[in-house]
Each structure stands twice: as structure tokens, then as C-alpha cells.
Amino acid sequence: MEENRPKRMAIIASQGTLDWAYPPFILASTAAAMNMEVTIFFTFYGLTLLKKKVKGKVAPQTNPAMPMRMPFGPNWFQKLTWPIPNVIMGNVPFFENMATGLMKKTFKNKKVMSIEELRQMCLDLNVKMVGCQMTMDVFGFKKEEFIDGVDIGGAATFLNFASDADIQLFV
Amino acid sequence: MSTINIEKVLDLKGLLCPIPVVKISNAIKEIEPGNVIEATATDPGVMMDIPAWCASTGNELDSMEEAGGVITFRVKRLK
């Protein structure tokens, strides 16, 4: 065993919604900044995070704890949490689009990076990104749809790295 | 008394996790060992994250203080 090797982190990113897109990239960029070697394996819906333009949305209906707040207006107004019952979320057309727009605006107001910017920062920090071949076959994704610098592999590719990693996370 | 040699000054005000840590990490590679980065930030998270980053990368936190919502800290590159 190498004694002085850098620490390693292995992440499986399995979700493609806007909110769940953040944790893998935030952890990966931070770990890389802490001199760790990082591989993210993108599988199932997580694979969509490798597309050139990330179209992830938020799904408030399946995340009941999500605070529904307005990203504009006076401070007291922005602090209000709007109790919106599932029956409305589920039946108002394009409710997800609206919630997604509000979250993007909130992130922008708070100066949180977009997913595309965060992902590029990860690549600049040498985070390795691997797309799941099986998911590509199932959903009909092609490598050309993904950003440059992505490798393609399967479970064994991930496990080979993960078995020697100090941190393994499933997101 | 040893002198503090501030080689780089960073403004991280308004930036949220993970940017301050990433910027410090990039900046430390650009200064000489023994020299110091002085940074200002507004995200309270840096008060925990910068010491944690220093501990895991083997750099030294020389000082950190908060005044009026602005956190000022100095990180010394050790190697």
C-alpha cells in the first residue's frame, strides 16, 4: 500500500433534479480543493447532469420539506414560507417549472454558482467524471450529448476506484 | 518576532460554499511556502471550513476574526 497517496473520494450521483445536482459537485470541488482525488460515477437520472446543458428541475411535490419562498420583494416578504398543498402542486400545470424558476432565482440572488459553472470548476480541479454505460444503453444517451472530459464505464469501473477510496457516497 | 509576509489578498465577500475554499486552495499554490494569504469573507461557513481545510491540507491558519459580518483570516502556506 502506498503510504503517502492523496485521500480519495468516490461518489455515485443518481439524481437529476436541480436540488440533488448540487451535493455531488459541491462535495467533489471541495474535496479536490482539499487535495483529494475524486471520481463521480453518474448513473440513472444522475447521467443527465453530464449533458452539455443541464435541464434539471425541482420536484416540490415529492419534497414536502422544501420551503416555498419568493426570491423577490421586501425582506419580510421573502422570509414568508408559502404553505402550498400537494393537491395544488400536483394539479397546477407547470408548477414544477415555476418552482424551478424560483429556486434558480434564489440561487442567483445568493450568488450560488449554476450547475454548469460548478461542474466546470470540478473539471478544472481534475475531478474525474464517469458516465454509466448501462444507463446510456437503457435511456438512449450518446457520448456526444455529454460535455468533454467524461469517461464511460460500468459498475466495475466505479468499484475498482471506490474499493480504494477513503470516502464513498451515494447521492 | 517573525514577520508576516502577505503575498496575496483575496476578497471572498458574498461568495458561498464551496467557492471560498476552492479559491483559497487555488491561491495557496501560487504563493511561496512561508508566505501568507489574507482574505475577507462574509459566509459564516468559512469560520468552520477554512480551519478544516487547513487541517486536511497541512497549511496553517494564522488568524481569524469576525467584525460587523466580515470575517478576516490569514492562511500560511507551510510546504
PDB file of all heavy atoms in Angstrom, chain A residues 25-26 29-30 32-35 110-113 118 121 125, chain B residues 14-19 21-22 25-26 29 52-53 56-57:
ATOM      1  N   PHE A  25     -21.465  17.857  -6.836  1.00  0.00           N
ATOM      2  CA  PHE A  25     -20.492  18.806  -7.373  1.00  0.00           C
ATOM      3  C   PHE A  25     -19.868  19.671  -6.267  1.00  0.00           C
ATOM      4  O   PHE A  25     -18.685  20.028  -6.334  1.00  0.00           O
ATOM      5  CB  PHE A  25     -21.132  19.698  -8.441  1.00  0.00           C
ATOM      6  CG  PHE A  25     -21.467  18.951  -9.714  1.00  0.00           C
ATOM      7  CD1 PHE A  25     -22.750  18.966 -10.227  1.00  0.00           C
ATOM      8  CD2 PHE A  25     -20.493  18.231 -10.392  1.00  0.00           C
ATOM      9  CE1 PHE A  25     -23.064  18.285 -11.398  1.00  0.00           C
ATOM     10  CE2 PHE A  25     -20.794  17.540 -11.565  1.00  0.00           C
ATOM     11  CZ  PHE A  25     -22.080  17.565 -12.064  1.00  0.00           C
ATOM     12  N   ILE A  26     -20.660  20.029  -5.250  1.00  0.00           N
ATOM     13  CA  ILE A  26     -20.107  20.823  -4.146  1.00  0.00           C
ATOM     14  C   ILE A  26     -19.084  19.995  -3.368  1.00  0.00           C
ATOM     15  O   ILE A  26     -17.971  20.456  -3.071  1.00  0.00           O
ATOM     16  CB  ILE A  26     -21.232  21.331  -3.207  1.00  0.00           C
ATOM     17  CG1 ILE A  26     -22.056  22.405  -3.928  1.00  0.00           C
ATOM     18  CG2 ILE A  26     -20.650  21.877  -1.907  1.00  0.00           C
ATOM     19  CD1 ILE A  26     -23.239  22.920  -3.156  1.00  0.00           C
ATOM     20  N   SER A  29     -15.862  19.367  -5.665  1.00  0.00           N
ATOM     21  CA  SER A  29     -14.954  20.504  -5.825  1.00  0.00           C
ATOM     22  C   SER A  29     -14.238  20.797  -4.513  1.00  0.00           C
ATOM     23  O   SER A  29     -13.040  21.117  -4.503  1.00  0.00           O
ATOM     24  CB  SER A  29     -15.715  21.739  -6.325  1.00  0.00           C
ATOM     25  OG  SER A  29     -16.802  22.028  -5.496  1.00  0.00           O
ATOM     26  N   THR A  30     -14.962  20.668  -3.391  1.00  0.00           N
ATOM     27  CA  THR A  30     -14.323  20.925  -2.097  1.00  0.00           C
ATOM     28  C   THR A  30     -13.250  19.880  -1.808  1.00  0.00           C
ATOM     29  O   THR A  30     -12.142  20.219  -1.377  1.00  0.00           O
ATOM     30  CB  THR A  30     -15.374  20.930  -0.971  1.00  0.00           C
ATOM     31  OG1 THR A  30     -16.389  21.875  -1.293  1.00  0.00           O
ATOM     32  CG2 THR A  30     -14.757  21.303   0.361  1.00  0.00           C
ATOM     33  N   ALA A  32     -11.565  18.145  -3.949  1.00  0.00           N
ATOM     34  CA  ALA A  32     -10.422  18.401  -4.831  1.00  0.00           C
ATOM     35  C   ALA A  32      -9.594  19.564  -4.294  1.00  0.00           C
ATOM     36  O   ALA A  32      -8.366  19.542  -4.349  1.00  0.00           O
ATOM     37  CB  ALA A  32     -10.897  18.674  -6.251  1.00  0.00           C
ATOM     38  N   ALA A  33     -10.281  20.571  -3.735  1.00  0.00           N
ATOM     39  CA  ALA A  33      -9.565  21.706  -3.143  1.00  0.00           C
ATOM     40  C   ALA A  33      -8.819  21.291  -1.881  1.00  0.00           C
ATOM     41  O   ALA A  33      -7.914  21.987  -1.432  1.00  0.00           O
ATOM     42  CB  ALA A  33     -10.540  22.837  -2.833  1.00  0.00           C
ATOM     43  N   MET A  34      -9.229  20.168  -1.288  1.00  0.00           N
ATOM     44  CA  MET A  34      -8.524  19.629  -0.121  1.00  0.00           C
ATOM     45  C   MET A  34      -7.498  18.585  -0.562  1.00  0.00           C
ATOM     46  O   MET A  34      -7.083  17.746   0.236  1.00  0.00           O
ATOM     47  CB  MET A  34      -9.521  19.033   0.866  1.00  0.00           C
ATOM     48  CG  MET A  34     -10.447  20.076   1.473  1.00  0.00           C
ATOM     49  SD  MET A  34     -11.840  19.370   2.375  1.00  0.00           S
ATOM     50  CE  MET A  34     -11.221  19.428   4.046  1.00  0.00           C
ATOM     51  N   ASN A  35      -7.136  18.644  -1.832  1.00  0.00           N
ATOM     52  CA  ASN A  35      -6.103  17.770  -2.414  1.00  0.00           C
ATOM     53  C   ASN A  35      -6.494  16.299  -2.473  1.00  0.00           C
ATOM     54  O   ASN A  35      -5.634  15.425  -2.449  1.00  0.00           O
ATOM     55  CB  ASN A  35      -4.764  17.929  -1.680  1.00  0.00           C
ATOM     56  CG  ASN A  35      -4.280  19.362  -1.707  1.00  0.00           C
ATOM     57  OD1 ASN A  35      -4.577  20.083  -2.656  1.00  0.00           O
ATOM     58  ND2 ASN A  35      -3.553  19.768  -0.683  1.00  0.00           N
ATOM     59  N   LYS A 110     -28.449  34.663  -4.161  1.00  0.00           N
ATOM     60  CA  LYS A 110     -27.488  34.334  -3.087  1.00  0.00           C
ATOM     61  C   LYS A 110     -26.094  34.086  -3.654  1.00  0.00           C
ATOM     62  O   LYS A 110     -25.205  33.652  -2.931  1.00  0.00           O
ATOM     63  CB  LYS A 110     -27.962  33.084  -2.327  1.00  0.00           C
ATOM     64  CG  LYS A 110     -29.366  33.176  -1.774  1.00  0.00           C
ATOM     65  CD  LYS A 110     -29.391  33.798  -0.404  1.00  0.00           C
ATOM     66  CE  LYS A 110     -30.815  33.753   0.147  1.00  0.00           C
ATOM     67  NZ  LYS A 110     -30.972  34.564   1.346  1.00  0.00           N
ATOM     68  N   LYS A 111     -25.930  34.263  -4.957  1.00  0.00           N
ATOM     69  CA  LYS A 111     -24.640  34.076  -5.628  1.00  0.00           C
ATOM     70  C   LYS A 111     -24.136  32.635  -5.549  1.00  0.00           C
ATOM     71  O   LYS A 111     -22.943  32.382  -5.392  1.00  0.00           O
ATOM     72  CB  LYS A 111     -23.593  35.035  -5.088  1.00  0.00           C
ATOM     73  CG  LYS A 111     -23.929  36.506  -5.341  1.00  0.00           C
ATOM     74  CD  LYS A 111     -22.675  37.358  -5.216  1.00  0.00           C
ATOM     75  CE  LYS A 111     -22.906  38.800  -5.608  1.00  0.00           C
ATOM     76  NZ  LYS A 111     -23.607  39.566  -4.563  1.00  0.00           N
ATOM     77  N   VAL A 112     -25.060  31.680  -5.615  1.00  0.00           N
ATOM     78  CA  VAL A 112     -24.663  30.281  -5.733  1.00  0.00           C
ATOM     79  C   VAL A 112     -24.403  30.019  -7.213  1.00  0.00           C
ATOM     80  O   VAL A 112     -25.154  30.472  -8.071  1.00  0.00           O
ATOM     81  CB  VAL A 112     -25.782  29.342  -5.211  1.00  0.00           C
ATOM     82  CG1 VAL A 112     -25.448  27.885  -5.471  1.00  0.00           C
ATOM     83  CG2 VAL A 112     -26.007  29.570  -3.726  1.00  0.00           C
ATOM     84  N   MET A 113     -23.330  29.292  -7.517  1.00  0.00           N
ATOM     85  CA  MET A 113     -22.994  29.008  -8.914  1.00  0.00           C
ATOM     86  C   MET A 113     -24.075  28.162  -9.580  1.00  0.00           C
ATOM     87  O   MET A 113     -24.743  27.370  -8.931  1.00  0.00           O
ATOM     88  CB  MET A 113     -21.702  28.200  -8.958  1.00  0.00           C
ATOM     89  CG  MET A 113     -20.449  29.016  -8.898  1.00  0.00           C
ATOM     90  SD  MET A 113     -19.043  27.890  -9.060  1.00  0.00           S
ATOM     91  CE  MET A 113     -17.786  29.022  -9.558  1.00  0.00           C
ATOM     92  N   LEU A 118     -20.388  25.093 -11.695  1.00  0.00           N
ATOM     93  CA  LEU A 118     -19.828  24.244 -10.636  1.00  0.00           C
ATOM     94  C   LEU A 118     -19.168  23.003 -11.243  1.00  0.00           C
ATOM     95  O   LEU A 118     -18.087  22.578 -10.829  1.00  0.00           O
ATOM     96  CB  LEU A 118     -20.973  23.841  -9.707  1.00  0.00           C
ATOM     97  CG  LEU A 118     -20.695  23.418  -8.287  1.00  0.00           C
ATOM     98  CD1 LEU A 118     -19.771  24.382  -7.567  1.00  0.00           C
ATOM     99  CD2 LEU A 118     -22.015  23.300  -7.530  1.00  0.00           C
ATOM    100  N   MET A 121     -15.918  23.903 -12.768  1.00  0.00           N
ATOM    101  CA  MET A 121     -14.915  24.097 -11.709  1.00  0.00           C
ATOM    102  C   MET A 121     -14.357  22.744 -11.269  1.00  0.00           C
ATOM    103  O   MET A 121     -13.159  22.598 -11.048  1.00  0.00           O
ATOM    104  CB  MET A 121     -15.550  24.837 -10.533  1.00  0.00           C
ATOM    105  CG  MET A 121     -14.554  25.460  -9.597  1.00  0.00           C
ATOM    106  SD  MET A 121     -15.371  26.576  -8.437  1.00  0.00           S
ATOM    107  CE  MET A 121     -16.057  25.409  -7.295  1.00  0.00           C
ATOM    108  N   LEU A 125     -10.511  21.270 -11.550  1.00  0.00           N
ATOM    109  CA  LEU A 125      -9.794  20.749 -10.374  1.00  0.00           C
ATOM    110  C   LEU A 125      -9.474  19.255 -10.531  1.00  0.00           C
ATOM    111  O   LEU A 125      -9.142  18.579  -9.566  1.00  0.00           O
ATOM    112  CB  LEU A 125     -10.648  20.960  -9.107  1.00  0.00           C
ATOM    113  CG  LEU A 125     -10.840  22.408  -8.661  1.00  0.00           C
ATOM    114  CD1 LEU A 125     -12.016  22.525  -7.693  1.00  0.00           C
ATOM    115  CD2 LEU A 125      -9.579  22.946  -7.997  1.00  0.00           C
TER     116      LEU A 125
ATOM    117  N   GLY B  14     -19.404  37.751  -0.114  1.00  0.00           N
ATOM    118  CA  GLY B  14     -20.578  37.435  -0.936  1.00  0.00           C
ATOM    119  C   GLY B  14     -20.537  36.038  -1.528  1.00  0.00           C
ATOM    120  O   GLY B  14     -21.521  35.588  -2.105  1.00  0.00           O
ATOM    121  N   LEU B  15     -19.410  35.349  -1.408  1.00  0.00           N
ATOM    122  CA  LEU B  15     -19.304  34.019  -2.010  1.00  0.00           C
ATOM    123  C   LEU B  15     -19.681  32.935  -1.000  1.00  0.00           C
ATOM    124  O   LEU B  15     -19.359  33.025   0.171  1.00  0.00           O
ATOM    125  CB  LEU B  15     -17.879  33.778  -2.515  1.00  0.00           C
ATOM    126  CG  LEU B  15     -17.393  34.773  -3.578  1.00  0.00           C
ATOM    127  CD1 LEU B  15     -15.922  34.562  -3.870  1.00  0.00           C
ATOM    128  CD2 LEU B  15     -18.226  34.641  -4.845  1.00  0.00           C
ATOM    129  N   LEU B  16     -20.366  31.913  -1.517  1.00  0.00           N
ATOM    130  CA  LEU B  16     -20.827  30.829  -0.651  1.00  0.00           C
ATOM    131  C   LEU B  16     -20.052  29.540  -0.940  1.00  0.00           C
ATOM    132  O   LEU B  16     -19.396  29.417  -1.967  1.00  0.00           O
ATOM    133  CB  LEU B  16     -22.318  30.572  -0.885  1.00  0.00           C
ATOM    134  CG  LEU B  16     -23.290  31.712  -0.581  1.00  0.00           C
ATOM    135  CD1 LEU B  16     -24.717  31.263  -0.839  1.00  0.00           C
ATOM    136  CD2 LEU B  16     -23.153  32.179   0.859  1.00  0.00           C
ATOM    137  N   CYS B  17     -20.206  28.580  -0.027  1.00  0.00           N
ATOM    138  CA  CYS B  17     -19.614  27.254  -0.169  1.00  0.00           C
ATOM    139  C   CYS B  17     -19.972  26.689  -1.545  1.00  0.00           C
ATOM    140  O   CYS B  17     -21.119  26.797  -1.940  1.00  0.00           O
ATOM    141  CB  CYS B  17     -20.162  26.351   0.928  1.00  0.00           C
ATOM    142  SG  CYS B  17     -19.787  24.610   0.747  1.00  0.00           S
ATOM    143  N   PRO B  18     -19.075  26.113  -2.297  1.00  0.00           N
ATOM    144  CA  PRO B  18     -17.690  25.764  -1.944  1.00  0.00           C
ATOM    145  C   PRO B  18     -16.650  26.771  -2.446  1.00  0.00           C
ATOM    146  O   PRO B  18     -15.466  26.488  -2.379  1.00  0.00           O
ATOM    147  CB  PRO B  18     -17.493  24.446  -2.694  1.00  0.00           C
ATOM    148  CG  PRO B  18     -18.253  24.652  -3.975  1.00  0.00           C
ATOM    149  CD  PRO B  18     -19.429  25.551  -3.625  1.00  0.00           C
ATOM    150  N   ILE B  19     -17.061  27.946  -2.932  1.00  0.00           N
ATOM    151  CA  ILE B  19     -16.129  28.831  -3.631  1.00  0.00           C
ATOM    152  C   ILE B  19     -14.978  29.338  -2.748  1.00  0.00           C
ATOM    153  O   ILE B  19     -13.833  29.331  -3.202  1.00  0.00           O
ATOM    154  CB  ILE B  19     -16.861  30.040  -4.272  1.00  0.00           C
ATOM    155  CG1 ILE B  19     -18.192  29.629  -4.882  1.00  0.00           C
ATOM    156  CG2 ILE B  19     -15.975  30.728  -5.290  1.00  0.00           C
ATOM    157  CD1 ILE B  19     -18.096  28.751  -6.072  1.00  0.00           C
ATOM    158  N   VAL B  21     -13.351  28.057  -0.249  1.00  0.00           N
ATOM    159  CA  VAL B  21     -12.345  27.009  -0.062  1.00  0.00           C
ATOM    160  C   VAL B  21     -11.597  26.739  -1.370  1.00  0.00           C
ATOM    161  O   VAL B  21     -10.363  26.608  -1.385  1.00  0.00           O
ATOM    162  CB  VAL B  21     -13.017  25.722   0.490  1.00  0.00           C
ATOM    163  CG1 VAL B  21     -12.120  24.513   0.289  1.00  0.00           C
ATOM    164  CG2 VAL B  21     -13.347  25.889   1.966  1.00  0.00           C
ATOM    165  N   VAL B  22     -12.332  26.693  -2.473  1.00  0.00           N
ATOM    166  CA  VAL B  22     -11.692  26.425  -3.770  1.00  0.00           C
ATOM    167  C   VAL B  22     -10.728  27.562  -4.129  1.00  0.00           C
ATOM    168  O   VAL B  22      -9.614  27.335  -4.593  1.00  0.00           O
ATOM    169  CB  VAL B  22     -12.756  26.221  -4.868  1.00  0.00           C
ATOM    170  CG1 VAL B  22     -12.104  26.168  -6.243  1.00  0.00           C
ATOM    171  CG2 VAL B  22     -13.553  24.944  -4.615  1.00  0.00           C
ATOM    172  N   SER B  25      -7.660  27.352  -2.017  1.00  0.00           N
ATOM    173  CA  SER B  25      -6.852  26.227  -2.485  1.00  0.00           C
ATOM    174  C   SER B  25      -6.063  26.594  -3.741  1.00  0.00           C
ATOM    175  O   SER B  25      -4.881  26.260  -3.866  1.00  0.00           O
ATOM    176  CB  SER B  25      -7.770  25.035  -2.754  1.00  0.00           C
ATOM    177  OG  SER B  25      -7.104  24.068  -3.508  1.00  0.00           O
ATOM    178  N   ASN B  26      -6.717  27.288  -4.677  1.00  0.00           N
ATOM    179  CA  ASN B  26      -6.015  27.715  -5.895  1.00  0.00           C
ATOM    180  C   ASN B  26      -4.936  28.738  -5.571  1.00  0.00           C
ATOM    181  O   ASN B  26      -3.833  28.692  -6.125  1.00  0.00           O
ATOM    182  CB  ASN B  26      -7.011  28.303  -6.902  1.00  0.00           C
ATOM    183  CG  ASN B  26      -7.896  27.230  -7.521  1.00  0.00           C
ATOM    184  OD1 ASN B  26      -7.548  26.045  -7.508  1.00  0.00           O
ATOM    185  ND2 ASN B  26      -9.043  27.628  -8.050  1.00  0.00           N
ATOM    186  N   LYS B  29      -1.463  27.695  -4.003  1.00  0.00           N
ATOM    187  CA  LYS B  29      -0.482  27.100  -4.916  1.00  0.00           C
ATOM    188  C   LYS B  29       0.350  28.177  -5.613  1.00  0.00           C
ATOM    189  O   LYS B  29       1.384  27.875  -6.198  1.00  0.00           O
ATOM    190  CB  LYS B  29      -1.198  26.245  -5.969  1.00  0.00           C
ATOM    191  CG  LYS B  29      -1.881  25.030  -5.351  1.00  0.00           C
ATOM    192  CD  LYS B  29      -2.620  24.181  -6.385  1.00  0.00           C
ATOM    193  CE  LYS B  29      -3.340  23.033  -5.706  1.00  0.00           C
ATOM    194  NZ  LYS B  29      -4.803  23.094  -5.860  1.00  0.00           N
ATOM    195  N   ALA B  52     -10.892  23.645   8.821  1.00  0.00           N
ATOM    196  CA  ALA B  52     -10.943  22.240   8.386  1.00  0.00           C
ATOM    197  C   ALA B  52     -10.077  22.030   7.148  1.00  0.00           C
ATOM    198  O   ALA B  52      -9.348  21.035   7.041  1.00  0.00           O
ATOM    199  CB  ALA B  52     -12.387  21.827   8.088  1.00  0.00           C
ATOM    200  N   TRP B  53     -10.138  22.988   6.233  1.00  0.00           N
ATOM    201  CA  TRP B  53      -9.318  22.890   5.025  1.00  0.00           C
ATOM    202  C   TRP B  53      -7.831  22.930   5.390  1.00  0.00           C
ATOM    203  O   TRP B  53      -7.038  22.142   4.873  1.00  0.00           O
ATOM    204  CB  TRP B  53      -9.665  24.030   4.049  1.00  0.00           C
ATOM    205  CG  TRP B  53      -8.806  24.032   2.832  1.00  0.00           C
ATOM    206  CD1 TRP B  53      -8.986  23.304   1.694  1.00  0.00           C
ATOM    207  CD2 TRP B  53      -7.596  24.784   2.640  1.00  0.00           C
ATOM    208  NE1 TRP B  53      -7.957  23.540   0.814  1.00  0.00           N
ATOM    209  CE2 TRP B  53      -7.098  24.440   1.368  1.00  0.00           C
ATOM    210  CE3 TRP B  53      -6.889  25.702   3.429  1.00  0.00           C
ATOM    211  CZ2 TRP B  53      -5.913  24.994   0.858  1.00  0.00           C
ATOM    212  CZ3 TRP B  53      -5.722  26.248   2.928  1.00  0.00           C
ATOM    213  CH2 TRP B  53      -5.253  25.895   1.644  1.00  0.00           C
ATOM    214  N   SER B  56      -6.663  19.603   6.880  1.00  0.00           N
ATOM    215  CA  SER B  56      -6.517  18.458   5.981  1.00  0.00           C
ATOM    216  C   SER B  56      -5.482  18.691   4.888  1.00  0.00           C
ATOM    217  O   SER B  56      -5.039  17.746   4.251  1.00  0.00           O
ATOM    218  CB  SER B  56      -7.871  18.066   5.385  1.00  0.00           C
ATOM    219  OG  SER B  56      -8.196  18.928   4.353  1.00  0.00           O
ATOM    220  N   THR B  57      -5.090  19.938   4.644  1.00  0.00           N
ATOM    221  CA  THR B  57      -4.094  20.180   3.594  1.00  0.00           C
ATOM    222  C   THR B  57      -2.718  20.497   4.169  1.00  0.00           C
ATOM    223  O   THR B  57      -1.765  20.683   3.406  1.00  0.00           O
ATOM    224  CB  THR B  57      -4.522  21.352   2.680  1.00  0.00           C
ATOM    225  OG1 THR B  57      -4.757  22.506   3.490  1.00  0.00           O
ATOM    226  CG2 THR B  57      -5.772  21.018   1.885  1.00  0.00           C
TER     227      THR B  57
END
